[in-house]
C-alpha cells in the first residue's frame, strides 16, 4: 500500500499526487504542499466517499485557482506507488502540452439524448477552435459518471455518437461497495445523478486500451424475467436468478457475496466479442442486481478467469512498445476485478505493474470504453514519452 503523501512529475508535464489523510481538509493540505507552485490548467481528482464533499470541493477550488476541476468518489485509489484503500488521488495537467475542455451532463437518469449530443458537439467544436489537426490522433475523451444512477449505457452511447471518432475512456464513481451515494465535482460545484466529460488534446502520443482476464465457458443462462431500468434480473432459465446462478457455480445461494460475483463473472457476446456483465448484489427476494443493464431474453455466459497479472502485463507491454515507452497511464479498474485479484492472492503482482508503468486512477463501479459500458475490466489512456510533431 501507498503510505503518506507522494508526488510525481511525469515527462509530459502532468503531476500526480496522492494522500491517505483521514479527512478531506488534511488531504487537500498535503496535496497542495506536494504539488507546490506548479502551473496547473486542469485537475482531475478521485477521493474516498467518506470525505466531506463540500470541504474537498472548496479546498480544491481554493488551492487550484483558475484551473478546471473535475472529480468523483471512488472505491479505492490507484497511484504510481500502488493501491490506496482510501484517500485522495490528484492528476494535475499543465498549461503547456495539453488543451482541455469539459462539460457537465446533469439528470442522467432522465437523459435527453439529443440535448446531450448537442452539448458534446459544442464541446468538441470549442477544442477544435484551437486550430490543431484532429487527424493526428492526439485527442481523447475522459468520462466520470455517477455509478448509482443506472444510466451509463445511455450516457456513453450519446457521448460516443457525438464525439465523431474521438476515443472515449472513463469510469463510474463508486462508494466503497456501500451503494448509498456517489458524488461528482465540476468547476466548483457538487453534483449527483450526473456525468463529467473532458476532451483532451495532447502534444504527446496516446492510446486508449481495455484489458480483461476472463474467457467464456459452456454454461449459459437465458434472462427470462428482468427489470431493465433497475438493472435487476429476477429469473435465469425460468428459475429464481440467485439460486440458478449459485447452483451453476457450486455455491450456497444464501452465501453469495461480492467476492463470489468477482470470481464467477457473467458475460454477454456482442459482435463476436465477450463483455462482462457483473453482478452488484443479491437481493432479499432472490433476484440479482447488476452493474450494467440486462434485457430480458439476453443470453449470459458464465466466464472463467485467466491469469490477471499476465493478461494485464501483456497489454501494458504492448502499449509500452507501441508508444516508444509509457510515461503515464490514467486507469479505471473495476472494483470487482480488484476483489478477484485479492481473493486469488495476486494483488501484489498488479500493484507491481502500477508502480512499473506509473498508473494513476481509481476503482470503479463500471468502465467506459469507446461506445461501451463495461464491468470487470481495466480501461484507460496511456501517454507516451515522446512529443508528437505538430
Amino acid at each position: 500500500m501507498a503510505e503518506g503523501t507522494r508526488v510525481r512529475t511525469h515527462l509530459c508535464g502532468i503531476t500526480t499526487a496522492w494522500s491517505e489523510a483521514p479527512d478531506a481538509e488534511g488531504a487537500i493540505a498535503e496535496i497542495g504542499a506536494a504539488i507546490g507552485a506548479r502551473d496547473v490548467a486542469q485537475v482531475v481528482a478521485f477521493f474516498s466517499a467518506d470525505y466531506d464533499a463540500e470541504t474537498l470541493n472548496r479546498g480544491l477550488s481554493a488551492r487550484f485557482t483558475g484551473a478546471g476541476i473535475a472529480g468523483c468518489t471512488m472505491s479505492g485509489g490507484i497511484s504510481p506507488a500502488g493501491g490506496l484503500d482510501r484517500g485522495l488521488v490528484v492528476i494535475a495537467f499543465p498549461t503547456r502540452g495539453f488543451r482541455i475542455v469539459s462539460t457537465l451532463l446533469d439528470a442522467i437518469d432522465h437523459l435527453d439524448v439529443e440535448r446531450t449530443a448537442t452539448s458534446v458537439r459544442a464541446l468538441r467544436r470549442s477544442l477544435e477552435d484551437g486550430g490543431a489537426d484532429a487527424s493526428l490522433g492526439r485527442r481523447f475523451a475522459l468520462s466520470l459518471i455517477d455509478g448509482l444512477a443506472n444510466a451509463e449505457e445511455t450516457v456513453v452511447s450519446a457521448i460516443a455518437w457525438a464525439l465523431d471518432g474521438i476515443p472515449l475512456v472513463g469510469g463510474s464513481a463508486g462508494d466503497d461497495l456501500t451503494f448509498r451515494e456517489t458524488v461528482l465535482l465540476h468547476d466548483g460545484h457538487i453534483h449527483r445523478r450526473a456525468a463529467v466529460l473532458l476532451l483532451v488534446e495532447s502534444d504527446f502520443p496516446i492510446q486508449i486500451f481495455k484489458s480483461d482476464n476472463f474467457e467464456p465457458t459452456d454454461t449459459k443462462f437465458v434472462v427470462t424475467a428482468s427489470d431493465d431500468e433497475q438493472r435487476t434480473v429476477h429469473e435465469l432459465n425460468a428459475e429464481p436468478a440467485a439460486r440458478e446462478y449459485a447452483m451453476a457455480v457450486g455455491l450456497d445461494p444464501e452465501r453469495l457475496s461480492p467476492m463470489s460475483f468477482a470470481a464467477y463473472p457473467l458475460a454477454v457476446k456482442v459482435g463476436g466479442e465477450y463483455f462482462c456483465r457483473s453482478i452488484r448484489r443479491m437481493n432479499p427476494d432472490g433476484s440479482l442486481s447488476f452493474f450494467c443493464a440486462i434485457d430480458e431474453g439476453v443470453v449470459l455466459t458464465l466466464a472463467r478467469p485467466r491469469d490477471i497479472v499476465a493478461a494485464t502485463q501483456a497489454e501494458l507491454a504492448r502499449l509500452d512498445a507501441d508508444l516508444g515507452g509509457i510515461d503515464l497511464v490514467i486507469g479505471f479498474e473495476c472494483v470487482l476485478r480488484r476483489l478477484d485479484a485479492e481473493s486469488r492472492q495476486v494483488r501484489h503482482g498488479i500493484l507491481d505493474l502500477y508502480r512499473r508503468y506509473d498508473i494513476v486512477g481509481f476503482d470503479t463501479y463500471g468502465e467506459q470504453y469507446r461506445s461501451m459500458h463495461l464491468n470487470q475490466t481495466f480501461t484507460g489512456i496511456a501517454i507516451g514519452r515522446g512529443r508528437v510533431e505538430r
Side-chain angles (χ1 to χ4, degrees):
M1 303 303 295
E3 295 180 359
T5 305
R6 309 266 184 96
V7 63
R8 184 163 300 174
T9 299
H10 305 269
L11 294 175
C12 64
I14 291 175
T15 300
T16 55
W18 53 99
S19 167
E20 294 177 286
D23 55 62
E25 189 173 13
I28 290 292
E30 292 183 2
I31 292 290
I35 293 179
R38 292 172 175 85
D39 196 8
V40 175
Q42 175 72 49
V43 167
V44 179
F46 313 121
F47 54 95
S48 292
D50 61 356
Y51 275 5
D52 182 75
E54 293 283 357
T55 300
L56 187 77
N57 184 51
R58 286 195 304 269
L60 287 172
S61 298
R63 173 58 186 81
F64 299 102
T65 305
I69 305 290
C72 67
T73 52
M74 64 185 188
S75 290
I78 303 170
S79 80
L84 288 77
D85 288 334
R86 63 185 313 282
L88 171 64
V89 178
V90 166
I91 305 168
F93 287 85
T95 54
R96 296 184 61 186
F98 296 89
R99 287 152 298 285
I100 304 174
V101 292
S102 70
T103 191
L104 178 86
L105 307 174
D106 59 4
I108 61 172
D109 48 345
H110 298 90
L111 191 75
D112 184 325
V113 174
E114 187 57 44
R115 183 167 68 93
T116 298
T118 299
S119 176
V120 175
R121 291 191 190 104
L123 190 68
R124 196 185 70 218
R125 286 194 297 271
S126 71
L127 189 63
E128 291 168 353
D129 286 344
D133 185 357
S135 68
L136 292 176
R138 293 182 287 106
R139 292 179 178 169
F140 63 94
L142 286 181
S143 57
L144 305 175
I145 306 178
D146 187 327
L148 298 181
N150 292 350
E152 288 101 331
E153 289 86 1
T154 306
V155 173
V156 172
S157 178
I159 290 174
W161 174 40
L163 282 175
D164 194 27
I166 297 175
L168 170 72
V169 290
S172 301
D175 66 347
D176 297 319
L177 294 173
T178 62
F179 304 115
R180 286 195 295 264
E181 182 180 68
T182 56
V183 172
L184 290 97
L185 306 180
H186 184 251
D187 290 350
H189 299 281
I190 295 172
H191 301 274
R192 297 166 180 84
R193 305 294 183 189
V196 175
L197 179 68
L198 298 96
L199 298 188
V200 183
E201 184 175 272
S202 167
D203 287 348
F204 300 87
I206 58 171
Q207 272 198 42
I208 71 165
F209 69 91
K210 77 173 181 70
S211 175
D212 58 51
N213 65 300
F214 59 87
E215 58 189 10
T217 69
D218 294 331
T219 303
K220 309 288 184 181
F221 305 92
V222 178
V223 178
T224 48
S226 69
D227 183 338
D228 183 45
E229 286 191 7
Q230 297 300 316
R231 296 179 171 177
T232 300
V233 172
H234 295 280
E235 291 183 2
L236 293 171
N237 300 335
E239 297 290 341
R243 188 176 71 188
E244 183 72 1
Y245 169 83
M247 288 179 63
V249 300
L251 296 175
D252 181 350
E254 300 300 320
R255 304 187 68 177
L256 293 176
S257 69
M259 287 291 190
S260 310
F261 306 139
Y264 301 99
L266 298 174
V268 63
K269 194 174 185 179
V270 179
E273 188 174 357
Y274 284 92
F275 298 93
C276 258
R277 293 291 181 262
S278 295
I279 301 169
R280 176 184 291 180
R281 63 173 177 263
M282 180 180 70
N283 301 312
D285 64 357
S287 63
L288 296 172
S289 292
F290 282 70
F291 282 103
C292 283
I294 303 291
D295 294 325
E296 201 166 299
V298 164
V299 176
L300 296 171
T301 299
L302 185 66
R304 177 189 301 114
R306 296 182 289 117
D307 187 326
I308 188 172
V309 177
T312 307
Q313 183 172 17
E315 180 63 12
L316 291 170
R318 182 193 67 79
L319 290 164
D320 195 49
D322 287 354
L323 292 169
I326 289 176
D327 183 31
L328 168 71
V329 174
I330 301 172
F332 308 95
E333 181 179 49
C334 182
V335 64
L336 291 184
R337 178 181 151 100
R338 188 198 76 199
L339 292 178
D340 187 41
E342 290 174 350
S343 70
R344 298 178 191 280
Q345 299 184 345
V346 295
R347 181 64 174 167
H348 63 280
I350 295 294
L351 297 183
D352 285 343
L353 293 175
Y354 291 168
R355 288 186 282 266
R356 188 188 313 173
Y357 289 100
D358 277 349
I359 297 176
V360 59
F362 74 104
D363 295 329
T364 76
Y365 279 174
E367 304 77 58
Q368 289 83 57
Y369 178 78
R370 298 193 183 276
S371 61
M372 298 286 292
H373 173 57
L374 308 173
N375 295 137
Q376 211 145 337
T377 61
F378 178 46
T379 69
I381 179 79
I383 301 174
R385 295 175 182 169
R387 187 178 291 266
V388 176
E389 291 295 329
R390 293 182 61 112

